[in-house]
């Protein structure tokens, strides 16, 4: 299959995803479970990564800015801006694509090759909607909250790294974090909007690769690799396009 | 009764089914037999609508399934139970949840009613006190029986079984066969069983269809299959020496 056939089939699949659920109560139950499974369970890893990422950003920014012309609070300011604009939304989404994407593709892929999806269809369940809608909706709605957590922890990580290594004082760092916030707060909304798009792409693309798996365990493994690669590429492309559209 | 009328089915350039017609009667165990790769599974998947037929019709008690929209098919599907070759139990759900699943999706029963019905079906297949087991923790034979319980949960009018006793020991196989036969008679279902197993053919075959090269090559029942001299059927059924001896005794007596 070429790229266009994949895209066509993906779009047709999305049409079934957004069909009315067979049973509302079952949908909400699955929505809740998937939110715990995908979103809540990702928080520890993301918290850990964000804290250290923030530390590295600040230290590198500080070590690259020895010019006396720049005020000290620039470090905090740059840390905040790069965290909000790119590091948290994009890098964390790529990591989620690796963790969550492979998980979803192999879960759905296994169901496919063991005929569990056929079993759903035989009963009269819309298998695409049943399996995918709760996942896609919960990531699209809740990943922005995860990213807020990531941003906060990244900034704390930056503070911790700078203060413990004596690069700046807490006051100076906080001054930088607060600087120009009035003008820049739209960047936060931009970041959160971006994350919604990324969350949607990750789960829908991973579901797609899982659902159209054919064969056996080997193919399930391949599908999950393809899902991670394709969703990462999609994130980077979408990031480029959204940045062009919104920031310029 | 399920009627299959002149089904043709191809995948790409290779045609798998050629003008297959057949009737599966109510209250009987209908068998589809034939060698590996001859199109038995494809035929069954065409009948239940997991594959679309190229031409031809599948008619469930005077209702033409092939012509229906998705939402009308859904209603017929709720009358179908299917046992898959690999059981196809939902591996994230417990045994009890698996059996309750169709009830939860398609009935207005309360939780207590669903549990009661699920326990009834599980008892019917002799699975007792295994509610909270996960499918992966059950043995192959148990998985098959749980899958039968799930298939009959909605009181289906039509039951399909794809190789219900592959990979099971002879004793468990016969137990599963007898179970399928009993529930078919008990609930007056139209049952279609795909099998390779000659034991089952002679044990439960009320009506037998032999698929060869994608065609309905021969049909009959467990008595006539012993006497036929259709070459392909004979080659298939009497592949083993034991079966040939059996045939001789049967024909001579
Ligand atoms: N989805 C598919 N796409 C392409 N070809 C298929 C597909 N499903 C089955 N076939 C082909 O159709 C033919 C018949 O397959 P089928 O699974 O019906 O055999 P079978 O009679 O059930 O055999 P077995 O007893 O081994 O299960 C095979 O040659 C198979 O390769
Ligand atoms: Mg088969």
């Amino acid at each position: 299959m070429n790229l266009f056939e994949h895209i066509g089939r993906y779009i047709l699949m999305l049409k079934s995803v957004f069909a009315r659920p067979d049973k509302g109560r079952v949908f909400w139950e699955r929505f809740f479970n998937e939110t715990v499974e995908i979103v809540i369970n990702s928080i520890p890893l993301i918290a850990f990564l964000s804290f250290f990422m923030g530390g590295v950003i600040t230290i590198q920014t500080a070590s690259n800015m020895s010019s006396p012309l720049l005020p000290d609070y620039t470090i905090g300011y740059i840390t905040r801006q790069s965290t909000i604009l790119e590091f948290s939304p994009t890098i964390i989404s790529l990591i989620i694509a690796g963790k969550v994407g492979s998980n979803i593709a192999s879960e759905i892929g296994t169901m496919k090759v063991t005929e569990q999806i056929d079993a759903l269809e035989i009963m009269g369940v819309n298998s695409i909607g049943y399996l995918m809608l709760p996942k896609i909706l919960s990531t699209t709605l809740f990943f922005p909250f995860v990213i807020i957590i990531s941003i906060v922890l990244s900034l704390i990580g930056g503070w911790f790294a700078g203060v413990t290594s004596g690069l700046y004082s807490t006051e100076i760092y906080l001054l930088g974090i607060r600087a120009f916030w009035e003008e820049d707060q739209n960047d936060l909304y931009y970041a959160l909007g971006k994350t919604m798009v990324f969350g949607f792409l990750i789960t829908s693309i991973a579901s797609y690769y899982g659902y159209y798996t054919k064969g056996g365990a080997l193919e399930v493994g391949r599908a999950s690799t393809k899902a991670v690669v394709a969703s990462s590429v999609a994130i980077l492309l979408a990031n480029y396009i959204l940045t062009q559209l919104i920031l310029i | 009764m399920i009627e299959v009328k002149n089904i043709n089915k191809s995948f790409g350039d290779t045609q798998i089914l050629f003008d297959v017609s057949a009737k599966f009667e109510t209250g009987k165990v209908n068998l589809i037999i034939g060698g590996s790769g001859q199109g038995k599974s494809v035929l069954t998947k065409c009948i239940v609508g997991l594959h679309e037929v190229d031409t031809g019709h599948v008619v469930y008690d005077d209702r033409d399934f092939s012509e229906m929209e998705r939402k009308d098919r859904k209603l017929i599907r709720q009358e179908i139970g299917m046992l898959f070759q690999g059981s196809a139990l939902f591996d994230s759900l417990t045994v009890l949840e698996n059996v309750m699943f169709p009830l939860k999706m398609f009935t207005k029963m309360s939780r207590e009613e669903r549990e009661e019905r699920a326990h009834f079906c599980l008892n019917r297949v002799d699975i007792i006190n295994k509610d909270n087991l996960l499918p992966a923790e059950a043995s192959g034979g148990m998985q098959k029986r749980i899958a039968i319980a799930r298939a009959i949960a909605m009181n289906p009018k039509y039951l399909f079984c794809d190789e219900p006793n592959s990979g099971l020991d002879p004793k468990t196989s016969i137990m599963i066969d007898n179970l399928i036969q009993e529930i078919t008679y008990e609930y007056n279902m139209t049952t279609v069983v795909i099998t390779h197993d000659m034991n089952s053919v002679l044990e439960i075959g009320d009506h037998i269809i032999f698929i060869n090269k994608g065609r309905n090559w021969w049909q009959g029942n467990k008595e006539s299959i012993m006497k036929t001299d259709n070459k392909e059927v004979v080659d298939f059924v009497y592949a083993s020496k034991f079966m040939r001896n059996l045939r001789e005794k049967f024909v001579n007596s």
Side-chain angles (χ1 to χ4, degrees):
Chain A
M1 274 177 95
N2 65 36
L3 181 65
F4 292 105
E5 288 172 314
H6 275 297
I7 293 175
R9 196 164 67 166
Y10 171 76
I11 290 170
L12 283 179
M13 177 194 89
L14 289 181
K15 246 181 76 188
S16 305
V17 169
F18 293 105
R20 209 186 129 84
D22 290 303
K23 188 124 184 192
R25 196 161 45 89
V26 176
F27 167 78
W28 289 113
E29 217 177 284
R30 282 191 40 78
F31 179 74
F32 178 79
N33 290 340
E34 293 293 346
T35 305
V36 172
E37 179 76 19
I38 303 178
V39 182
I40 310 282
N41 287 352
S42 296
I43 290 177
L45 174 73
I46 287 165
F48 177 82
L49 292 171
S50 303
F51 184 82
F52 288 99
M53 192 173 72
V56 172
I57 297 169
T58 0
I59 294 173
Q60 290 198 340
T61 312
S63 69
N64 284 317
M65 286 201 329
S66 35
S67 161
L69 290 176
L70 290 169
D72 282 344
Y73 70 78
T74 319
I75 300 172
Y77 176 66
I78 290 183
T79 303
R80 185 194 82 203
Q81 284 305 88
S82 46
T83 298
I84 291 180
L85 287 175
E86 283 311 317
F87 281 98
S88 276
T90 312
I91 303 287
I92 294 297
S93 293
L94 286 171
I95 289 164
I96 293 174
K99 179 179 183 286
V100 171
S102 63
N103 199 324
I104 291 177
S106 55
E107 177 193 331
I108 297 184
T110 305
M111 291 189 72
K112 175 74 181 203
V113 303
T114 56
E115 297 180 306
Q116 291 176 52
I117 287 181
D118 285 345
L120 284 171
E121 285 290 325
I122 277 293
M123 291 174 190
V125 178
N126 163 10
S127 60
I128 291 183
Y130 173 80
L131 291 171
M132 301 180 192
L133 185 60
K135 292 184 200 293
I136 294 178
L137 217 58
S138 82
T139 43
T140 309
L141 290 179
F142 296 129
F143 269 163
F145 294 100
V146 176
I147 294 306
I148 291 177
I149 297 176
S150 163
I151 291 171
V152 170
L153 282 168
S154 173
L155 296 183
I156 295 175
W159 164 80
F160 182 83
V163 170
T164 49
S165 55
L167 283 170
Y168 42 69
S169 67
T170 304
E171 289 74 34
I172 295 288
Y173 183 72
L174 284 180
L175 193 63
I177 294 291
R178 292 202 202 100
F180 313 115
W181 183 237
E182 300 289 288
E183 298 107 89
D184 289 342
Q185 51 178 293
N186 280 341
D187 292 350
L188 182 65
Y189 304 128
Y190 153 77
L192 298 181
K194 210 157 85 160
T195 331
M196 290 180 91
V197 175
F198 296 164
F200 177 84
L201 288 173
I202 293 168
T203 31
S204 59
I205 291 175
S207 301
Y208 170 82
Y209 277 98
Y211 195 83
Y212 292 101
T213 309
K214 276 194 182 131
L218 195 65
E219 281 79 8
V220 173
R222 285 208 189 106
S224 96
T225 311
K226 279 191 207 149
V228 174
V229 173
S231 50
S232 306
V233 171
I235 288 173
L236 293 173
L237 280 177
N239 189 29
Y240 180 76
I241 295 168
L242 291 173
T243 310
Q244 284 269 340
L245 285 179
I246 298 171
L247 288 195
I248 294 182
Chain B
M1 186 170 67
I2 305 170
E3 276 181 275
V4 175
K5 296 180 182 166
N6 310 95
I7 288 186
N8 284 285
K9 173 72 189 169
S10 310
F11 291 110
D13 295 333
T14 39
Q15 188 162 359
I16 309 290
L17 297 176
F18 298 84
D19 207 36
V20 177
S21 298
K23 280 184 183 167
F24 303 107
E25 281 175 37
T26 307
K28 285 192 174 163
V29 180
N30 302 274
L31 302 187
I32 299 178
I33 63 170
S36 199
Q38 303 296 327
K40 303 183 299 292
S41 296
V42 173
L43 173 61
T44 313
K45 288 189 174 169
C46 285
I47 298 174
V48 297
L50 287 174
H51 290 322
E52 289 301 323
V53 296
D54 299 341
T55 60
H57 297 268
V58 179
V59 182
Y60 285 84
D61 291 310
D62 299 323
R63 295 170 295 177
D64 193 333
F65 188 69
S66 338
E67 300 282 298
M68 283 178 187
E69 301 277 317
R70 193 188 161 95
K71 71 176 195 326
D72 296 322
R73 283 187 173 193
K74 225 170 116 168
L75 297 175
I76 293 207
R77 286 203 166 151
Q78 287 163 32
E79 301 175 355
I80 297 179
M82 183 151 180
L83 174 62
F84 287 86
Q85 192 162 349
S87 297
L89 294 169
F90 303 124
D91 42 30
S92 58
L93 303 181
T94 64
V95 168
L96 185 68
E97 285 166 344
N98 261 284
V99 181
M100 293 199 307
F101 183 85
L103 303 171
K104 190 166 171 184
M105 289 303 284
F106 298 110
T107 69
K108 293 200 158 67
M109 289 182 176
S110 68
R111 173 147 188 119
E112 290 72 36
E113 288 167 324
R114 277 184 269 136
E115 269 184 26
E116 197 186 314
R117 174 74 191 152
H119 280 132
F120 174 82
C121 296
L122 284 166
N123 284 341
R124 187 67 194 78
V125 297
D126 265 330
I127 303 276
I128 292 154
N129 289 334
K130 298 279 191 284
D131 287 4
N132 296 319
L133 220 61
L134 287 171
E137 297 161 351
S139 72
M142 265 168 73
Q143 289 178 4
K144 286 265 155 76
R145 284 185 283 153
I146 298 162
I148 293 178
R150 185 179 68 183
I152 61 173
M154 293 279 286
N155 241 324
K157 288 161 93 169
Y158 315 101
L159 180 66
F160 292 86
C161 308
D162 193 347
E163 303 196 13
N165 41 28
S166 65
L168 299 179
D169 65 86
K171 201 170 158 218
T172 315
S173 294
I174 288 176
M175 206 209 98
I176 299 271
D177 283 342
N178 289 338
L179 184 60
I180 290 170
Q181 189 178 39
E182 280 165 31
I183 52 186
T184 301
Y185 296 162
E186 197 173 318
Y187 304 115
N188 198 31
M189 292 190 290
T190 309
T191 300
V192 178
V193 179
I194 303 181
T195 184
H196 279 299
D197 188 42
M198 284 321 295
N199 257 329
S200 340
V201 172
L202 301 178
E203 187 91 14
I204 60 170
D206 294 328
H207 181 61
I208 300 169
I209 287 171
F210 177 72
I211 298 289
N212 192 36
K213 299 190 185 132
R215 292 177 170 82
N216 181 352
W217 201 265
W218 179 91
Q219 48 191 330
N221 57 33
K222 61 190 170 199
E223 280 83 35
S224 60
I225 204 168
M226 294 295 274
K227 297 179 197 151
T228 178
D229 33 50
N230 183 305
K231 183 176 175 310
E232 285 74 17
V233 179
V234 173
D235 282 352
F236 175 76
V237 177
Y238 305 102
S240 75
K241 203 165 173 181
F242 172 76
M243 288 300 292
R244 280 196 296 276
N245 291 340
L246 196 70
R247 174 180 159 90
E248 249 145 58
K249 282 205 186 106
F250 185 81
V251 173
N252 293 339
S253 68

